[in-house]
């Protein structure tokens, strides 16, 4: 796979609704703030778009180092029209976007190259001028041409990305566990937990996370900036260290570190308060339960909150009293966009032997067509069998054409629905009853559901 180097600058101009814009693609270079005036303004625009504080010089220097070391591709849109008095200068982008290379775990020791999208902002005063569509289409086209089978993002607004073919592909929960009486489990926990030195944890955490990543469907490779964050040495949200973060490490019977947790205490009335989990990582569910037991056993803690828990959490089932486990929020974590159905569908594991022909509707054209998935042999075979019939919505150029079922297909769906099915986070029947999939008959629906089901619920703990 080859892409434009992140530091190879490109630009183009276009006009919309009487305004002229320049779209720039570039990367951060060595040289810090002085050597990266465009990247500095890009970072300021990102903070502005997400209502963050004006970044400090220290924050800018750190972010520029990260952008350069990870080879992040930056896109910025600048207005070319005269700037009114007191308005933000022309050097500040009216829109931002970035992407980089990663990999997505499909099963034990099986990864798929993934193109990650982040930091998407458009200044409200320049909305509805096609800016987001232009950036997204150009970036996904580059990903497709480079051979990436899938793109992914985490969304701050769930209503935006379906029209670009992204479907919610993993889900997490925000949970609270009552802790005043500790945590009573049905089965004894494993290993032991010790409080850790934060700086030492920053060195250990990447290795434990890598074990988690290799074995957990739905996991994405993390970038280097994570480790200072989870150890409290640098909070990228505030631009400074967080001295309130504490850490602990789990050890197995051979004294090998195989899990960790970072957390902070939020004082309530008096001396008691709540623990908030920053990061809780282990490839083993039993180790994660042992870390929960440690957290719930700390003095003065009335409740432990985790904003990034599993949808199907073994902890709840391991507790004697399930009522002490409260789900306060359910949300989509990872959004997936299939760019190459043959590569993506050939790479994932299958548990049943079926042959299904799918009609995929993709208004951007990357995955549009008829595809056959055959898992009856020793290895899955995925083939494009032809174009799907054109519809009135296609002719009209709608961003999400209506799904119709061709005679030669067993099922039909928009490309965003395939993104939701891909890791097994949702059943095909659920999408069918929601009106998002069309099927020849219920036998075809059963075939699709059996084909796309997985043995493990996907779990992504790395927002980006």
């Amino acid at each position: 796979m080859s892409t434009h180097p992140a530091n190879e600058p490109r630009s183009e101009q276009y006009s919309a609704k009487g305004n002229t814009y320049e779209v720039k693609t570039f990367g951060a270079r060595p040289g810090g703030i002085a050597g990266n005036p465009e990247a500095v303004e890009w970072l300021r625009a990102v903070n502005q778009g997400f209502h963050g504080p004006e970044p400090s010089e220290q924050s800018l220097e750190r972010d520029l180092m990260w952008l350069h070391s990870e080879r992040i591709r930056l896109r910025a849109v600048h207005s070319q029209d005269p700037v009114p008095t007191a308005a933000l200068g022309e050097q500040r982008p009216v829109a931002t976007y970035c992407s980089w290379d990663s990999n997505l775990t499909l099963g034990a020791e099986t990864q798929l190259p993934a193109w990650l999208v982040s930091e998407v902002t458009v200044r409200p005063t320049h909305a509805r001028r096609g800016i987001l569509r232009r950036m997204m289409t150009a970036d996904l086209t580059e990903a497709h041409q480079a051979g990436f089978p899938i793109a992914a993002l985490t969304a701050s607004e769930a209503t935006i990305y379906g029209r670009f073919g992204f479907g919610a592909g993993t889900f997490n929960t925000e949970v609270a566990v009552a802790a005043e009486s500790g945590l009573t489990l049905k089965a004894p926990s494993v290993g032991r937990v010790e409080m850790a030195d934060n700086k030492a944890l920053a060195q250990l955490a990447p290795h434990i996370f890598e074990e988690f990543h290799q074995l957990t469907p739905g996991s994405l490779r993390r970038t280097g900036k994570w480790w200072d964050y989870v150890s409290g040495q640098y909070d990228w949200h505030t631009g400074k260290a967080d001295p309130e973060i504490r850490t602990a490490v789990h050890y197995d019977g051979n004294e090998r570190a195989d899990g960790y947790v970072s957390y902070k205490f939020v004082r309530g009335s008096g001396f008691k308060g709540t623990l908030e989990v920053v990061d809780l990582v282990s490839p083993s569910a039993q180790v994660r339960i042992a870390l929960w037991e440690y957290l719930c056993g700390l003095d003065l803690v009335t409740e432990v909150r985790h904003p990034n828990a599993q949808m199907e959490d073994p902890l709840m089932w391991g507790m004697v009293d399930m009522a002490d486990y409260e789900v306060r929020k359910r949300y989509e974590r990872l959004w997936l966009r299939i760019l190459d159905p043959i590569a993506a569908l050939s790479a994932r594991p299958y548990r049943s032997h079926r042959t299904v022909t799918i009609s995929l509707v993709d208004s951007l054209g990357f995955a549009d067509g008829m595809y056959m998935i055959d898992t009856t042999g020793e290895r899955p075979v995925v083939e494009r069998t032809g174009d799907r019939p054109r519809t009135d919505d296609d002719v009209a150029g709608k961003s999400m054409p209506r799904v119709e079922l061709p005679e030669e297909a067993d099922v039909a769906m928009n490309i965003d629905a395939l993104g939701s099915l891909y890791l097994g986070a949702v059943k095909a029947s659920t999408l069918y009853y929601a009106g998002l999939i069309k099927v020849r008959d219920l036998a075809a629906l059963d075939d699709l559901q059996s084909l796309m089901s997985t043995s493990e619920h996907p779990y992504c703990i790395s927002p980006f």
Side-chain angles (χ1 to χ4, degrees), residues 173-184 246 248 260-267 272-280 288-309 313 315-316 319 322-329:
T173 58
E174 182 180 308
V175 304
V177 176
E180 283 201 88
S181 301
L183 185 64
T184 306
R246 298 287 184 265
Y260 73 86
V261 63
S262 65
Y263 57 93
K264 57 199 303 184
F265 181 77
V266 180
R267 195 175 301 280
K272 294 184 178 182
T274 298
L275 276 191
E276 292 187 351
V277 174
V278 176
D279 204 26
L280 194 158
R288 295 197 292 269
I289 290 173
L291 289 166
W292 270 100
E293 184 181 41
Y294 160 80
L295 296 173
C296 292
L298 292 173
D299 292 338
L300 305 177
V301 174
T302 60
E303 183 178 79
V304 179
R305 299 174 186 168
H306 188 8
N308 212 14
D313 194 347
L315 171 65
M316 184 183 76
M319 294 170 60
M322 284 186 180
D324 286 343
Y325 184 103
E326 180 186 353
V327 177
R328 295 188 173 171
K329 182 180 179 181

Side-chain angles (χ1 to χ4, degrees), residues 195-209:
M195 293 191 74
D197 175 81
N198 285 9
K199 290 184 178 180
L201 182 95
Q203 302 300 313
L204 180 65
H207 304 289
I208 294 175
F209 175 81

Side-chain angles (χ1 to χ4, degrees), residues 241-288:
D242 188 346
E244 295 183 355
I245 285 183
R246 298 287 184 265
T247 58
V249 175
H250 182 277
Y251 299 89
D252 66 14
N254 297 315
E255 297 298 305
R256 186 182 75 90
D258 58 359
Y260 73 86
V261 63
S262 65
Y263 57 93
K264 57 199 303 184
F265 181 77
V266 180
R267 195 175 301 280
S269 58
F271 291 101
K272 294 184 178 182
T274 298
L275 276 191
E276 292 187 351
V277 174
V278 176
D279 204 26
L280 194 158
V281 182
S282 174
S284 164
Q286 289 182 310
V287 171
R288 295 197 292 269

Side-chain angles (χ1 to χ4, degrees), residues 87-394:
L88 288 172
E90 61 182 16
Q91 73 276 10
R92 182 72 57 87
V94 301
T96 63
Y97 186 111
C98 73
S99 59
W100 66 93
D101 305 351
S102 185
N103 57 57
L104 172 69
T105 301
L106 305 182
E109 307 294 336
T110 303
Q111 275 82 41
L112 186 73
W115 182 280
L116 305 193
V117 172
S118 189
E119 309 295 19
V120 179
T121 73
V122 178
R123 199 182 300 172
T125 49
H126 293 263
R128 296 178 179 84
R129 291 170 170 82
I131 292 175
L132 174 56
R133 177 162 291 277
R134 197 171 190 92
M135 291 192 298
M136 182 71 74
T137 302
D139 192 63
L140 293 180
T141 298
E142 184 175 335
H144 182 255
Q145 291 174 345
F148 281 80
I150 198 166
L153 56 80
T154 53
S156 56
E157 293 185 62
T159 58
I160 295 175
Y161 297 102
R163 67 182 184 270
F164 299 109
F166 288 86
T170 74
F171 296 83
N172 290 7
T173 58
E174 182 180 308
V175 304
V177 176
E180 283 201 88
S181 301
L183 185 64
T184 306
L185 300 169
K186 296 176 182 177
S189 58
V190 299
R192 66 185 180 90
V193 179
E194 296 286 350
M195 293 191 74
D197 175 81
N198 285 9
K199 290 184 178 180
L201 182 95
Q203 302 300 313
L204 180 65
H207 304 289
I208 294 175
F209 175 81
E210 184 60 24
E211 290 184 36
F212 170 89
H213 175 60
Q214 291 289 332
L215 297 173
T216 308
S219 176
L220 285 167
R221 180 178 60 82
R222 284 180 171 179
T223 57
K225 71 176 185 176
W226 268 92
W227 314 120
D228 283 348
Y229 172 66
V230 302
S231 62
Q233 295 178 78
Y234 182 74
D235 183 342
W236 60 63
H237 300 297
T238 62
K240 57 186 179 181
D242 188 346
E244 295 183 355
I245 285 183
R246 298 287 184 265
T247 58
V249 175
H250 182 277
Y251 299 89
D252 66 14
N254 297 315
E255 297 298 305
R256 186 182 75 90
D258 58 359
Y260 73 86
V261 63
S262 65
Y263 57 93
K264 57 199 303 184
F265 181 77
V266 180
R267 195 175 301 280
S269 58
F271 291 101
K272 294 184 178 182
T274 298
L275 276 191
E276 292 187 351
V277 174
V278 176
D279 204 26
L280 194 158
V281 182
S282 174
S284 164
Q286 289 182 310
V287 171
R288 295 197 292 269
I289 290 173
L291 289 166
W292 270 100
E293 184 181 41
Y294 160 80
L295 296 173
C296 292
L298 292 173
D299 292 338
L300 305 177
V301 174
T302 60
E303 183 178 79
V304 179
R305 299 174 186 168
H306 188 8
N308 212 14
Q310 292 172 274
M311 276 292 296
E312 292 189 12
D313 194 347
L315 171 65
M316 184 183 76
W317 293 95
M319 294 170 60
V320 169
D321 189 354
M322 284 186 180
D324 286 343
Y325 184 103
E326 180 186 353
V327 177
R328 295 188 173 171
K329 182 180 179 181
R330 174 184 181 274
Y331 61 96
E332 70 285 350
R333 164 57 75 209
L334 191 62
W335 291 71
L336 299 177
R337 209 295 181 191
I338 307 297
L339 297 169
D340 182 345
I342 294 176
L345 292 169
S346 297
R348 76 183 297 278
Y350 296 93
R351 302 172 61 207
S352 64
H353 301 290
R354 297 286 196 278
T355 301
V356 175
T357 299
I358 302 177
S359 175
L360 288 178
V361 179
D362 182 356
S363 61
L364 296 185
F366 305 127
D368 200 85
M370 305 277 289
Y371 296 85
M372 182 192 69
I373 308 173
D374 183 355
T375 63
T376 59
E378 291 185 6
R379 294 184 177 182
V381 175
V382 184
E383 297 177 343
R384 191 179 191 278
T385 59
D387 297 334
R388 64 174 178 84
R390 300 291 93 185
T391 67
D392 292 341
D393 284 358
D394 294 315

Side-chain angles (χ1 to χ4, degrees), residues 400-457:
M400 293 187 73
R402 183 177 65 256
V403 174
E404 295 184 0
L405 182 67
E407 290 184 5
E408 57 270 39
D410 299 308
V411 300
M413 68 189 76
N414 208 309
I415 190 62
D416 65 311
L418 184 60
S420 295
L421 289 174
Y422 185 67
L423 292 173
V426 63
K427 293 180 179 179
S429 58
T430 301
L431 297 187
Y432 167 72
Y433 290 118
L436 304 181
I437 294 178
K438 293 187 179 297
V439 300
R440 173 175 40 79
D441 51 33
L442 291 181
L445 177 61
D446 182 66
D447 284 343
L448 179 65
Q449 182 149 302
S450 297
L451 194 68
M452 302 304 291
S453 66
T454 56
S455 57
E456 286 188 72
H457 208 75

